[in-house]
């Protein structure tokens, strides 16, 4: 099981980290739980997923 993905945006490789450290930080910042994440993805995916990816990218930048 992998906890990160790399995407290529116009020649620039961007890494998104979705490990436990990110998940804990995201849940705390968003004041939600795992069910809240699932609900957000199911009900408002076009807003929720970009926010999730943005916060994941920021978390990865802090880790490095």
């Amino acid at each position: 099981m992998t906890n990160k993905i790399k995407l290529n945006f116009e020649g620039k490789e961007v890494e998104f980290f979705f490990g436990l450290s990110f998940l804990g930080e995201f849940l705390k910042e968003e004041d939600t739980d795992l069910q809240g994440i699932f609900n957000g993805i199911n009900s408002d995916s076009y807003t929720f997923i970009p926010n999730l990816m943005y916060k994941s990218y920021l978390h990865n930048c802090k880790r490095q």
Side-chain angles (χ1 to χ4, degrees):
M1 185 162 140
T2 185
N3 61 359
K4 64 181 176 181
I5 59 169
K6 292 181 182 179
L7 299 177
N8 188 316
F9 289 101
E10 297 181 3
K12 181 179 180 181
E13 192 171 79
V14 179
E15 186 174 47
F16 299 91
F17 181 78
F18 296 102
L20 290 176
S21 62
F22 165 71
L23 186 58
E25 183 178 294
F26 184 81
L27 293 174
K28 191 176 207 178
E29 285 180 5
E30 297 294 313
D31 192 27
T32 191
D33 57 12
L34 290 177
Q35 188 61 49
I37 290 176
F38 296 132
N39 291 343
I41 290 171
N42 287 326
S43 67
D44 194 16
S45 58
Y46 292 111
T47 302
F48 190 85
I49 292 173
N51 182 44
L52 183 72
M53 291 178 70
Y54 173 73
K55 298 240 171 117
S56 170
Y57 178 72
L58 287 180
H59 177 78
N60 192 46
C61 289
K62 291 177 196 175
R63 288 180 62 235
Q64 295 178 352

